Amino acid sequence: PMMLRPLLIGRRTLYRQGVGAGGVFRMRPLSESDFDDEEMKGVATNEFFSQSKEFPVQLRFSNRTQDDDASLDIRGCALRLSVGQNSPLDMLFATGSFAPIRSLKDAWHILPIWRWERRVTDSKTLREGLVAGLRRAPKSFTCLTYYNQLVLEWRVPRGSHYLVRFRLVPTSDAVLDDAAKGLPDIEELKSLWNQERSPGEPRSADYLRQRLYDRLTEGEPVSYRFEAQFHAPQREDSLEWYDASLEWDERSHPWHSLGELILDRLLTARESDGLRFDSRNCPPSLRPPQ
């Protein structure tokens, strides 16, 4: 279904309504001094992330399935380190520190098809992932933290590797209030399948897109910290380390800053909708698990 829909209607299956922004990504290389654990010091030798670099960047913000920005929905952010045809790195992010599926084999669980309420009720993984990622009428796209939920391999010289997860943390528009971030309340958690806007919600159906448009056209840039979380594979590790529906403990796996994204211009609707994000666009030193 996810493949046929774009062929039939010429649009994305998910994250259809979006708004794009352009800017720059300034990479901060890691050093061995960033890690207390001797076993983790090799992280700093990753070829792609071991030098100070600057890339043009394009981001596209969107809702997962809903056209209404005030609805209860997962918010997404897609990143592309390029303006031309070729990109050294494309990444897809979503709200929620872990996913409502364990792997891509389970993707059918989250398709917007029949018996959605029953699927949520019957699947613990789906239910917990939705609780982690759903947001109702947040203040803005740019106040949310976005996670690249799939586990990747961070390659280092001599053929070894670490496991890595990424996230984007807002630094120009950070908010602490749960309501501003759109976190669902207790009553909403009882009916996660009810995604309609709340009664009396005064904001327009495109207020998130309009807010970013107004902000960038008024010359107020948006900034994010690009962070990574690492795990050194052990012989006794289970496959749960590759499970997208499980998050890693931040006490044992802290987040490390890899750079800063600054968005200072708005993409036209044509530029934004025409963006193509391809997960195969990644350097040899960062790849899907083998």
Side-chain angles (χ1 to χ4, degrees):
M2 294 181 70
M3 297 174 66
L4 288 174
R5 184 181 174 90
L7 292 175
L8 293 172
I9 68 173
R11 297 179 62 194
R12 292 171 171 84
T13 300
L14 303 176
Y15 301 106
R16 296 186 300 272
Q17 300 292 343
V19 58
V24 64
F25 172 51
R26 298 192 179 106
M27 192 177 295
R28 171 195 177 274
L30 292 167
S31 66
E32 292 187 357
S33 61
D34 291 322
F35 301 90
D36 297 327
D37 187 343
E38 285 292 327
E39 192 174 27
M40 300 301 297
K41 293 185 182 296
V43 166
T45 62
N46 178 278
E47 182 180 6
F48 186 74
F49 289 95
S50 62
Q51 305 175 45
S52 294
K53 305 173 188 174
E54 190 169 291
F55 294 92
V57 67
Q58 297 177 94
L59 266 74
R60 182 179 183 272
F61 300 94
S62 54
N63 305 321
R64 179 182 162 271
T65 60
Q66 303 298 305
D67 293 338
D68 187 351
D69 288 350
S71 63
L72 181 68
D73 201 3
I74 291 173
R75 268 62 190 189
C77 172
L79 175 150
R80 183 174 173 84
L81 294 187
S82 171
V83 174
Q85 293 295 318
N86 300 315
S87 171
L89 180 62
D90 287 0
M91 301 191 79
L92 303 178
F93 296 81
T95 48
S97 56
F98 56 95
I101 57 173
R102 299 182 63 199
S103 69
L104 292 178
K105 289 183 179 180
D106 298 333
W108 65 274
H109 280 302
I110 62 172
L111 290 177
I113 54 179
W114 61 93
R115 297 183 180 177
W116 177 238
E117 179 178 341
R118 181 173 177 179
R119 290 188 185 279
V120 174
T121 304
D122 292 347
S123 172
K124 179 175 179 289
T125 299
L126 175 58
R127 190 165 58 252
E128 291 181 346
L130 291 176
V131 170
L134 286 171
R135 303 289 182 267
R136 182 184 292 282
K139 174 186 174 184
S140 65
F141 277 132
T142 56
C143 75
L144 302 175
T145 298
Y146 297 91
Y147 296 82
N148 178 251
Q149 296 166 334
L150 297 181
V151 177
L152 299 174
E153 286 186 357
W154 177 276
R155 308 293 297 179
V156 296
R158 297 181 298 280
S160 57
H161 71 275
Y162 298 85
L163 302 185
V164 63
R165 301 175 99 158
F166 297 95
R167 71 177 181 181
L168 291 171
V169 180
T171 54
S172 59
D173 196 17
V175 297
L176 299 177
D177 180 69
D178 286 352
K181 290 187 287 188
L183 295 177
D185 59 30
I186 296 297
E187 290 303 313
E188 289 176 318
L189 295 181
K190 298 177 182 178
S191 55
L192 295 173
W193 48 86
N194 180 17
Q195 297 183 261
E196 300 297 324
R197 65 164 50 212
S198 298
E201 169 61 61
R203 289 172 290 188
S204 67
D206 66 345
Y207 81 92
L208 289 176
R209 288 160 277 174
Q210 187 64 43
R211 188 158 292 178
L212 182 63
Y213 174 87
D214 292 341
R215 178 170 184 160
L216 293 180
T217 54
E218 291 170 5
E220 184 180 354
V222 174
S223 60
Y224 282 91
R225 191 167 59 251
F226 184 68
E227 296 184 337
Q229 193 180 29
F230 301 97
H231 172 69
Q234 307 296 322
R235 185 177 297 273
E236 64 274 13
D237 281 353
S238 71
L239 289 176
E240 287 189 345
W241 284 104
Y242 300 88
D243 191 332
S245 70
L246 302 176
E247 62 180 335
W248 297 351
D249 190 336
E250 294 187 19
R251 294 169 296 181
S252 57
H253 296 75
W255 292 95
H256 298 272
S257 176
L258 297 180
E260 180 185 33
L261 280 80
I262 300 175
L263 307 176
D264 56 10
R265 68 181 183 88
L266 194 75
L267 300 183
T268 65
R270 183 174 183 178
E271 287 177 312
S272 177
D273 290 342
L275 287 174
R276 299 291 184 269
F277 299 93
D278 190 336
S279 59
R280 293 172 296 183
N281 289 339
C282 60
S285 58
L286 183 70
R287 69 183 190 187
Q290 297 300 294

